[in-house]
Amino acid sequence: MLHRLLDGFATRFGVVIAVLAGFVLCLSAGLYFQSGANRVLKSHEVFRQNHVRDGFVSISDMLRLTLVVDELVASNALTPALHDKLLAALDILYVRARSLETRESTLFPDDDAETPSDAIFALVDFVDGTMAAGVHDIAQLKLELLWHIENTRSRLVTFLDKMRRQEDKFLDQQAREVEQQARVVGVIFLVLAAAMSISLILLRKEIVARHARARAERRADYLAYFDALTTLPNRIQFTDKVEKRLKKKLPTGVLLLDLDGFKAVNDTYGHAAGDAVLKTTGDRVAAAIAAQGGIAARLSGDEYAVCVPFEDVSVLEFYADSLLEALCLPIDFEGERLEVQASIGVVASEQVARCLGLTFSNMMRAGDFALYASKEGGKGRYTVYDDALEVKFSERRGMLEDLEAAISDGGLDVYLQPKVHLPSAVPYGFEALVRWQRDGKFVSPDIFVTLAEEAGLVMDIDLFMLSQATRIIAERNAAAGATFSVSVNLSALHFNGSNIVEDVQTALERSGLPPELLTLEITETVQIHDWERVRHVLAQLGALGCKIAIDDFGSGYSSLAYLRNMLADELKVDRTLIEEIVHSQESQHVLRAICELSSGLDMSVIVEGIEDIAQSEVIQKIGCARAQGYLYGRPEPAELAIDAALIRVAAPQTYAS
Ligand code: C2E
Ligand code: MG
Ligand code: MG
């Protein structure tokens, strides 16, 4: 409620009302105090002008009467002129006595003492009586008159004195009342002023908060359509604008760019350097199309896109060339010379309309495929989506459709390859490897797992393998009284927002496999941007009790980034390092260094790809105690692999040259 009120006040209109209310409050306080003072003054005035004046005037009337009496005494006879004067003075006195009488009854209603008006009436009666009876003795009349006059005057003086005292009392009482009211009203005004100040403070806070909210909303609006780092339009804006063009059937060319070597910059020089590269790239892409009125956007990570109003392939090729040229220029960053280049996929609306149907998603899919072809073809180049690529693309689409069907129809198989202890070569666990047959032929996982990764299907494959492998191993362990462990491959894509922790927990609960017998092999096939999240997910997986292995270690420069950031229990040394291990001193040095490194980090090492006894002997000399490779067993259908392993556990086999 308060919030809504403040919301209402925190408008321009509300501020005006608040200020007006404050003004009215001050004004009414001033007016109230002024009216109090006026009341006191008015009471004083009433006394002065009415009551007191009556008293004074009566005294002066008495004086006039005294003068008449003096004249009467001087002439020693009541002449007609004196008679008239006397009656006129008495008339005036009579009128005065009437008004005095009212005042007396108002001011002193309970006073029984003889009042001045009584005295005046007595005087008038006396004179009237004397006149009626006739004046015989002037001296006597004079004496009696003077007695009456004196009596009346003294009463008037007493009356005036009483009135003054009454006035003082009355004024005192009024002053006290006004003072008391002022105190009450003062407190009310203080409370109102405090409430007003508090509401003004809250109001100010609300206004500040509103400004902040408005700023944040403006920022959110901006971020909804622009990329914060490069200030280029983002994917949403790009999609919007290109879709509009395509709907109007305007000639449109799209160039999709992906940086080559960006990961290396990020891993070697850190994120600040990576950001500098992304920003400079953004500036260069924007500059390259500035003159043509196209749209340059950053889609995500190191992916950019350009849309230009042309569908002529030679013009698009010209753009691609100039972009490649601009993007391979070195970038200075804190004294370092950073070098990246770009791969570009080029697609024209006319080609897409002919082959796939003109939609935004088809434009992007075709552009992606052309980009992928550039990467495949050796990077740092562009590829145009043409008829030849269309053929390959449709093949790929066909494979993807079949793979999707295989994933949903249970067309994938779980193969297991043993992992062994050295030197005994006794299997202690397996790696689960996915197999898929298309048209009766096995498709290499290197092909379809990569395809699935690009199409976002790999998570489904991994979850299938996770649930199947844990179930099979748990069942066979229980049946044979064995304690085989199993490793399941997980694409790093799971770290970008899937529910992998819940999925692993579910698989463990459903299968009943003890968590310590499950290892999750993280393969570095996609770039990880949010290491913070990776660490958080890994910590949660570790808390479940399962183990983490870094797969294919030593196959790429950035494995060090994995090592630095991942809380892993195991390093799987990549096969490429083992291929030459027998003859290459360098490979042996590297393997030795990896073993020392992992023991320093409290990680175990397992070597992949052992194909012959010579390799096995070399790695054992270096100190490796676990291995995996064709020498100890090829990947086989799960049940067969477990049968073979159980036989070898029962009767260990020696491998020696
Ligand atoms: P990986 O995880 O490193 O698996 C080991 C690969 O090396 C397997 O290839 C295995 O058959 C092969 N290999 C094992 N010993 C030897 C050997 O002595 N010599 C040679 N030449 N090769 C050996 P495969 O099964 O073709 O799998 C290839 C890759 O596909 C895997 O490499 C893994 O990265 C990925 N992959 C396989 N299954 C899955 C899966 O379920 N999920 C995910 N995300 N990736 C998977
Ligand atoms: Mg693996
Ligand atoms: Mg591997």
Side-chain angles (χ1 to χ4, degrees):
M1 171 71 188
L2 177 71
H3 191 73
R4 226 182 282 159
L5 194 72
L6 284 176
D7 251 15
F9 266 124
T11 56
R12 218 172 264 182
F13 183 64
V15 172
V16 172
I17 291 202
V19 171
L20 277 181
F23 179 71
V24 169
L25 194 69
C26 295
L27 193 70
S28 48
L31 288 178
Y32 183 84
F33 284 115
Q34 199 189 12
S35 83
N38 281 349
R39 255 171 41 225
V40 177
L41 281 177
K42 209 169 160 198
S43 316
H44 186 67
E45 212 40 37
V46 167
F47 270 95
R48 279 264 160 280
Q49 292 196 345
N50 299 338
H51 310 325
V52 178
R53 195 195 56 201
D54 277 352
F56 276 114
V57 172
S58 307
I59 289 174
S60 71
D61 292 342
M62 294 300 302
L63 258 175
R64 188 180 304 143
L65 185 64
T66 314
L67 288 176
V68 176
V69 173
D70 283 348
E71 271 183 59
L72 182 69
V73 172
S75 71
N76 228 351
L78 186 60
T79 60
L82 272 179
H83 179 262
D84 290 347
K85 266 190 186 178
L86 185 61
L87 285 182
L90 280 177
D91 281 349
I92 291 170
L93 262 180
Y94 186 81
V95 172
R96 196 68 63 205
R98 280 270 166 244
S99 97
L100 259 182
E101 191 179 27
T102 323
R103 243 172 269 298
E104 286 158 5
S105 60
T106 326
L107 291 175
F108 311 103
D110 303 327
D111 200 347
D112 294 334
E114 200 187 345
T115 58
S117 58
D118 291 341
I120 293 173
F121 289 139
L123 172 64
V124 173
D125 285 347
F126 164 73
V127 174
D128 278 351
T130 309
M131 292 296 174
V135 180
H136 307 291
D137 185 353
I138 289 289
Q140 181 63 28
L141 174 66
K142 184 193 145 190
L143 271 180
E144 286 192 34
L145 262 178
L146 283 178
W147 179 86
H148 274 288
I149 289 169
E150 196 48 45
N151 181 37
T152 308
R153 198 197 327 253
S154 82
R155 281 193 196 291
L156 275 171
V157 170
T158 314
F159 178 69
L160 274 178
D161 191 44
K162 261 168 87 179
M163 266 206 305
R164 274 212 192 84
R165 269 185 277 127
Q166 181 74 355
E167 181 193 20
D168 284 350
K169 215 167 112 190
F170 190 65
L171 287 178
D172 271 0
Q173 188 190 335
Q174 285 228 324
R176 263 199 308 281
E177 268 173 32
V178 168
E179 193 189 344
Q180 202 175 350
Q181 281 174 4
R183 220 175 285 149
V184 172
V185 172
V187 170
I188 291 172
F189 276 112
L190 264 182
V191 171
L192 279 178
M196 194 89 179
S197 315
I198 290 170
S199 36
L200 281 175
I201 291 168
L202 290 175
L203 185 62
R204 200 187 152 270
K205 268 184 146 182
E206 177 63 25
I207 290 170
V208 170
R210 268 179 164 243
H211 280 275
R213 267 208 300 278
R215 261 203 311 278
E217 275 165 19
R218 276 201 299 278
R219 177 96 185 124
D221 277 354
Y222 176 82
L223 288 180
Y225 293 100
F226 288 91
D227 171 53
L229 180 67
T230 59
T231 68
L232 286 179
N234 64 7
R235 186 185 283 276
I236 296 174
Q237 193 182 158
F238 184 76
T239 308
D240 212 38
K241 291 197 168 160
V242 177
E243 261 176 353
K244 275 186 190 141
R245 286 191 65 80
L246 296 180
K247 267 192 194 130
K248 289 184 194 159
K249 302 224 163 24
L250 296 171
T252 304
V254 167
L255 291 87
L256 297 184
L257 291 84
D258 190 285
L259 294 184
D260 308 319
F262 175 68
K263 220 162 104 169
V265 170
N266 235 354
D267 292 336
T268 318
Y269 299 102
H271 286 290
D275 284 355
V277 168
L278 292 174
K279 213 172 148 16
T280 311
T281 304
D283 294 344
R284 287 175 180 176
V285 172
I289 56 125
Q292 314 308 325
I295 311 153
R298 181 176 169 217
L299 301 185
S300 68
D302 59 350
E303 286 173 45
Y304 295 80
V306 164
C307 168
V308 283
F310 306 103
E311 55 184 4
D312 183 336
V313 170
S314 56
V315 178
L316 298 179
E317 283 181 327
F318 166 76
Y319 272 113
D321 262 331
S322 51
L323 277 167
L324 287 179
E325 220 170 277
L327 296 184
C328 69
L329 294 174
I331 297 165
D332 282 332
F333 176 74
E334 294 177 357
E336 299 286 351
R337 216 175 125 89
L338 309 178
E339 290 190 21
V340 288
Q341 54 177 11
S343 295
I344 302 180
V346 181
V347 58
S349 52
E350 183 266 327
Q351 173 81 16
V352 173
R354 196 154 40 80
C355 304
L356 303 166
L358 191 58
T359 62
F360 175 76
S361 67
N362 281 345
M363 281 290 277
M364 294 303 274
R365 280 162 71 192
D368 264 338
F369 193 62
L371 172 61
Y372 173 72
S374 295
K375 294 259 181 197
E376 286 269 283
K379 303 183 176 173
R381 63 181 64 198
Y382 71 83
T383 308
V384 178
Y385 186 80
D386 53 15
D387 289 344
L389 213 58
E390 161 64 20
V391 173
K392 283 195 200 162
F393 187 44
S394 59
E395 267 170 29
R396 185 177 179 268
R397 276 209 317 272
M399 185 183 269
L400 208 55
E401 278 164 18
D402 290 351
L403 180 60
E404 260 179 279
I407 292 171
S408 52
D409 304 343
L412 301 178
D413 290 316
V414 178
Y415 272 47
L416 296 177
Q417 185 180 28
K419 300 198 285 183
V420 301
H421 281 303
L422 293 176
S424 67
V426 172
Y428 64 91
F430 302 91
E431 173 170 10
L433 295 160
V434 65
R435 290 294 177 264
W436 176 42
Q437 291 189 50
R438 187 176 182 227
D439 304 327
K441 278 193 216 140
F442 281 104
V443 184
S444 161
D446 283 329
I447 294 175
F448 77 83
V449 169
T450 313
L451 187 66
E453 217 152 42
E454 284 162 13
L457 295 174
V458 74
M459 264 109 89
D460 296 334
I461 297 181
D462 289 351
L463 295 185
F464 166 79
M465 294 296 285
L466 181 68
S467 67
Q468 294 300 309
T470 48
R471 181 185 57 76
I472 295 168
I473 296 292
E475 280 172 11
R476 293 296 307 266
N477 274 352
T483 53
F484 288 130
S485 61
V486 67
S487 302
V488 174
N489 290 288
L490 282 190
S491 162
L493 275 179
H494 286 282
F495 295 120
N496 292 349
S498 73
N499 297 325
I500 189 63
V501 180
E502 283 164 40
D503 294 331
V504 169
Q505 194 169 11
T506 312
L508 287 170
E509 279 166 9
R510 286 210 183 132
S511 64
L513 186 76
E516 64 276 13
L517 294 184
L518 175 66
T519 302
L520 303 167
E521 291 189 10
I522 314 296
T523 329
E524 190 188 359
T525 43
V526 292
Q527 195 184 340
I528 288 180
H529 298 288
D530 189 354
W531 280 110
E532 201 53 50
R533 186 178 158 77
V534 172
R535 279 195 290 271
H536 180 62
V537 173
L538 288 180
Q540 284 180 298
L541 289 171
L544 290 181
C546 50
K547 293 186 181 134
I548 307 292
I550 298 178
D551 204 357
D552 303 337
F553 189 75
S555 64
Y557 42 82
S558 60
S559 291
L560 278 175
Y562 267 53
L563 198 60
R564 223 182 22 240
N565 286 294
M566 281 201 174
L567 306 159
D569 307 278
E570 187 178 86
L571 273 188
K572 285 195 90 173
V573 179
D574 192 57
R575 194 173 69 231
T576 49
L577 194 75
I578 306 308
E579 278 165 358
E580 302 296 324
I581 195 101
V582 177
H583 306 292
S584 163
Q585 289 295 316
E586 201 187 323
S587 297
Q588 290 177 21
H589 285 318
V590 173
L591 181 59
R592 200 167 284 118
I594 290 176
C595 288
E596 281 166 14
L597 182 77
S598 54
S599 82
L601 292 171
D602 206 17
M603 290 166 129
S604 59
V605 171
I606 178 165
V607 183
E608 290 190 281
I610 304 298
E611 293 185 349
D612 56 44
I613 292 166
Q615 287 172 333
S616 174
E617 285 175 350
V618 172
I619 65 158
Q620 285 181 59
K621 260 193 214 140
I622 289 172
C624 299
R626 293 167 183 219
Q628 180 183 343
Y630 292 168
L631 177 66
Y632 310 108
R634 286 180 178 260
E636 283 185 290
E639 300 296 339
L640 292 182
I642 297 171
D643 289 344
L646 285 170
I647 293 171
R648 272 204 268 144
V649 170
Q653 198 180 333
T654 47
Y655 297 88
S657 48

